[in-house]
Amino acid sequence: MRYYRLPGGESRSDSDSLVVVDDEGDAYDLSTASDDLGSFTALARAANASDRSIDDIARDRIPDAVRRDLDDVEGNALLPVSAEEVWAAGVTYSISEQAREAESGKPEVYIDVYDSERPELFLKATPSRTVGPHDAVGIRGDSEWDVPEPELGVVLHREEVVGYTIGNDVSSRSIEGENPLYLPQAKVYDRCCSLGPCVATESVVEDPHDLEMSLTIERDEEVVYEDSTSTSEMATTCEKLVEYLRRHNNLPETLVLLTGTALVPPESFTLHEGDRVSIDIDHIGRLVNDTVVV
């Protein structure tokens, strides 16, 4: 099943939201079946309390839920999950290793990362720096070379994998390439990350390592970059990334771990304000964001 978050209706305050489940093309507003199911985290808590799956909780409530139009749901989707932290993994695909070495004045720093037992993990975003579908991602005003990084996102609740989403790890390659120690400034800033359009559970994402992923960038309604890949190209499994993230690390209740990118535009390309970035991943959907300078 896929879980979307929508703005609250007229009877709800601006801070409220609705949780809609897509069950094989039929959409149901779970919030109308229970006031306690107003977020994906609330669903996960209910599943934990009953020792059942999130999908089982949703199925129990569908008979009492109001039907919604799925096209309308997808067109109005908000950030699907309130992740207290977003983490990211680097150099999990061979092309990302090549890109790091190409952009850096100190390429030897990255030589051992791709083949190392320990993955590169870093804190990517906090809630205030994360946007959802149809909102604008940011590119830094002090950067000359900026790119989107399409990634499969693993959603964790109380340290267990509960679903998958799409992430855009927007990055300044010029700042990162100047010195590896500048990585936090290249990665963490206002509107540096987008997530969405939904959280897809394991019932629809049976194998996270066998998903087609594509990136399209449009400028003035013309495609300026387009490419695709597969998560089967990952050198590190999602399980291994999650296991290392848990080590000696007190994780918040809900977080998202981005698993690295294999779609890297050429060195001659940089994002412009107003560009539209679309990321598609099999069985999850499409995440669309415009671009703004921050």
Side-chain angles (χ1 to χ4, degrees):
M1 292 181 169
R2 300 175 187 86
Y3 297 86
Y4 296 82
R5 177 172 159 259
L6 297 184
E10 292 182 0
S11 62
R12 293 171 177 261
S13 69
D14 291 340
S15 61
D16 286 339
S17 58
L18 313 177
V19 175
V20 176
V21 59
D22 168 18
D23 182 18
E24 297 183 347
D26 295 319
Y28 302 90
D29 180 356
L30 297 178
S31 306
T32 61
S34 173
D35 288 337
D36 295 327
L37 300 181
S39 70
F40 184 79
T41 295
L43 278 167
R45 288 173 181 165
N48 280 346
S50 59
D51 197 25
R52 303 171 70 202
S53 72
I54 291 172
D55 289 348
D56 285 341
I57 299 297
R59 288 190 187 97
D60 282 352
R61 290 299 186 176
I62 282 176
D64 301 318
V66 173
R67 289 280 297 268
R68 296 291 296 261
D69 179 79
L70 186 56
D71 289 338
D72 179 68
V73 169
E74 293 175 340
N76 291 281
L78 302 173
L79 186 68
V81 60
S82 297
E84 297 163 77
E85 295 174 354
V86 179
W87 286 72
V91 198
T92 54
Y93 294 84
S94 61
I95 192 171
S96 58
E97 178 189 37
Q98 296 164 15
R100 286 277 189 93
E101 292 179 356
E103 75 189 11
S104 177
K106 301 175 177 61
E108 65 277 2
V109 172
Y110 300 107
I111 289 175
D112 295 327
V113 177
Y114 180 71
D115 297 316
S116 175
E117 172 65 22
R118 178 183 294 277
E120 178 196 14
L121 298 174
F122 55 90
L123 184 65
K124 168 61 184 178
T126 54
S128 65
R129 296 177 174 89
T130 307
V131 303
H134 318 298
D135 203 350
V137 291
I139 53 178
R140 293 181 63 117
D142 60 352
S143 172
E144 299 175 351
W145 185 12
D146 304 273
V147 295
E149 294 191 8
E151 308 190 16
L152 174 68
V154 182
V155 182
L156 283 79
H157 182 258
R158 294 178 180 166
E159 302 194 3
E160 298 299 324
V161 177
V162 292
Y164 301 90
T165 191
I166 301 172
N168 186 353
D169 169 19
V170 193
S171 303
S172 166
R173 293 188 64 182
S174 58
I175 293 175
E176 180 181 342
E178 188 175 343
N179 190 305
L181 295 179
Y182 293 161
L183 179 67
Q185 295 172 65
K187 293 286 189 178
V188 185
Y189 55 89
D190 191 25
R191 297 178 174 269
C192 64
C193 179
S194 65
L195 301 173
C198 63
V199 176
T201 57
E202 293 177 338
S203 63
V204 293
V205 181
E206 296 180 1
D207 183 0
H209 307 105
D210 187 24
L211 301 172
E212 290 297 313
M213 177 166 51
S214 64
L215 168 64
T216 303
I217 304 173
E218 297 171 88
R219 182 174 299 157
D220 299 326
E221 299 183 353
E222 293 187 5
V223 174
V224 292
Y225 177 82
E226 189 172 28
D227 201 0
S228 61
T229 187
S230 170
T231 57
S232 63
E233 299 296 321
M234 287 179 63
T236 308
T237 65
C238 294
E239 290 83 2
K240 180 178 177 180
L241 295 175
V242 170
E243 191 272 324
Y244 267 90
L245 182 62
R246 289 193 191 112
R247 289 190 181 188
H248 314 287
N249 192 10
N250 186 19
L251 302 182
E253 180 179 10
T254 306
L255 67 76
V256 173
L257 171 60
L258 304 181
T259 57
T261 189
L263 295 172
V264 181
E267 294 180 30
S268 58
F269 178 87
T270 185
L271 285 170
H272 292 182
E273 185 167 65
D275 286 354
R276 174 158 294 180
V277 180
S278 301
I279 304 169
D280 292 82
I281 298 184
D282 276 351
H283 309 302
I284 301 176
R286 170 175 287 187
L287 174 62
V288 181
N289 300 98
D290 290 340
T291 308
V292 65
V293 175
V294 297

